[in-house]
Amino acid sequence: MSQASPQVRSDEERPLGSGPVLSTFAVLVGLMFVAAAYMVFFHAPTEKVMGFVQKIFYFHVPSAWNMFLGVGVAAVGSVMYLVKRTDKWDRIGDAGVELAVLFGAMVLISGPLWGRKAWGAFWVWDVRLTSSLVLVLTLVACKMVRGYAGAEAKKIAAGLAVFAVINSAFVYYSVDIWRGTHPPKLVATLAPAMKQTFWFSTLTFLIAFFVLLTLRLRTGRLQSALDRLHLRLTESGLDD
Amino acid sequence: MKTSLAIPTLFALALAVASAENARAQPADTSTPAAAATTKKPIPPGFEPIAGKEAQAESVSAPLLVVLAYGAFFLLTFGYVVHLARRQKALSDEVAALRQKLGKGGSGA
């Protein structure tokens, strides 16, 4: 029992949100979300063509960028895992995938709500929409593989995450290549008040991403500690 | 590692071919919802009356859609934090229990 150093033990057993830096950022991001919502509804003007529904844009786009960021984290973790085969990189890859699924779900919920007003339909089989759906389904598959693929699960999940990275590039550039129903990149053309609201929302989402990533990595470390303890119990013949 | 990278490579090749094919064709102007609508449907000669379900479909409440979207953002974020908190609590408890068990087993031996 005494093999684990006190420093490692305290880090693993630290409850959610503990640590002054993380707590500060968690509170800050909560306040920033409230401020961002205020700016969306009271600071940014209503758009001429789209009307009120355009306000979905201020959270929809940062969610999509966070999804790409999650895929990026998953890519680094997965490639490093395939090279080094250490649990640390696998945990990073898994955390990235999970956050990409979370923010991808936000994109896939808010996008169709906007589309219902803009196109008269919740879903159209546009290249951007379809590729985004494929990306999120690939990431969900990454998570599912871990539960069902046995000993090779981590390797297969890492391979799928690498596939997701290439797909995410396809998602990002699809509006430039195919120019489908989905609007093109509009951020540079926004009016000043819209731009301020958008960038504030983006900053809020960025901080939220790193707070959630820290929490998710801590959960992963706890899971690894538990797995190691189970192994030691089995080795010492104490496991039931 | 090689097998894992084979699928993405094939996918990238397929994407490159598809892009080249697309570049040859003249893309229609569908950059805005209005432009996309005009390319799909023939323009009627005058005003077109609608009735029944089609007319009801026009009355989509934008505030409702916005509230649903923002509700989903906050619900998913809050739900995920709660999920992580509960999972960490369960894992911490299990780690503590196993450490205690290992400690007792070690002292008893």
Side-chain angles (χ1 to χ4, degrees), chain B residues 37 40-52 54-55 58:
Chain B
K40 281 177 186 167
K41 286 182 181 174
I43 301 164
F47 289 122
E48 252 189 328
I50 53 167
E54 218 179 339
E58 278 293 298

Side-chain angles (χ1 to χ4, degrees), chain A residues 13 55 98 117 170 179-180, chain B residues 8 15 30 60 70 80 99:
Chain A
E13 289 171 7
K55 292 188 181 290
E98 201 166 295
K117 191 75 179 174
F170 180 67
R179 300 186 67 201
Chain B
L15 177 61
T30 53
V60 183
Y70 278 83
Y80 186 64
R99 281 196 169 132

